[in-house]
Amino acid sequence: MNLNQGVSGRPPYDDNNIFAKILRGEIPSRKVYEDEFALAFHDINPQAPHHVLVIPKGRYVAFADFAATAPDAEITGFIRAVGHVARMLGFEESGYRLLANMGPDSHQEVPHLHVHLFAGRPLGPMLAT
Ligand code: AMP
């Protein structure tokens, strides 16, 4: 399987990406949580019984530029939101997996940082071979 098909994961940020449009309310999403720093919504193509995406509200292409350039308050707010969503949805009892793709080898498709939150069944090995 060739995984080298995703976006670069590097700036510049594209304001026309699909998650930017969701943040602006231009296309719908099935929202599960929102605060000052983050929005969480159901993935349109779930890979587990529960598959939620959590995105920061700021303009970050991937984890790399978020970690390097986001103000401390945005990083704290976003990470706390991810934890809050997992707890709020009841995932802590059975456990869950977080995943964030960055760049071509990860096959990142959407160039706005997002954390996948998977839960609802045993999730198998860490990586598909
Ligand atoms: P990634 O490969 O990490 O960039 O993941 C992108 C994810 O976004 C995939 O799991 C898609 O199913 C999901 N996705 C794409 N468009 C939408 C949308 N409009 N609403 C919700 N999830 C979406």
Side-chain angles (χ1 to χ4, degrees):
M1 183 169 51
N2 177 16
L3 292 180
N4 293 310
Q5 297 170 343
V7 300
S8 77
R10 297 175 185 274
Y13 183 83
D14 173 9
D15 283 300
N16 287 319
N17 80 77
I18 198 143
F19 294 168
K21 291 179 179 176
I22 286 176
L23 280 169
R24 292 194 297 266
E26 293 169 7
I27 63 169
S29 68
R30 290 175 55 218
K31 182 165 81 174
V32 297
Y33 177 75
E34 182 171 13
D35 66 20
E36 179 184 353
F37 297 107
L39 175 70
F41 50 95
H42 293 284
D43 195 290
I44 204 167
N45 183 23
Q47 305 295 309
H50 302 292
H51 183 175
V52 170
L53 301 172
V54 191
I55 67 174
K57 289 197 166 172
R59 299 166 71 254
Y60 303 102
V61 178
F63 188 82
D65 60 327
F66 183 68
T69 68
D72 290 356
E74 289 186 38
I75 293 174
T76 304
F78 177 66
I79 296 296
R80 287 207 194 282
V82 174
H84 176 78
V85 168
R87 193 176 322 117
M88 181 186 84
L89 295 176
F91 296 168
E92 289 187 354
E93 189 173 339
S94 299
Y96 58 86
R97 179 170 294 161
L98 300 178
L99 185 152
N101 289 317
M102 186 275 162
D105 276 357
S106 76
H107 203 193
Q108 180 181 1
E109 293 174 1
V110 179
H112 181 114
L113 171 61
H114 47 285
V115 169
H116 297 257
L117 186 47
F118 302 103
R121 64 165 168 80
L123 293 164
M126 190 145 48
L127 290 178
T129 51

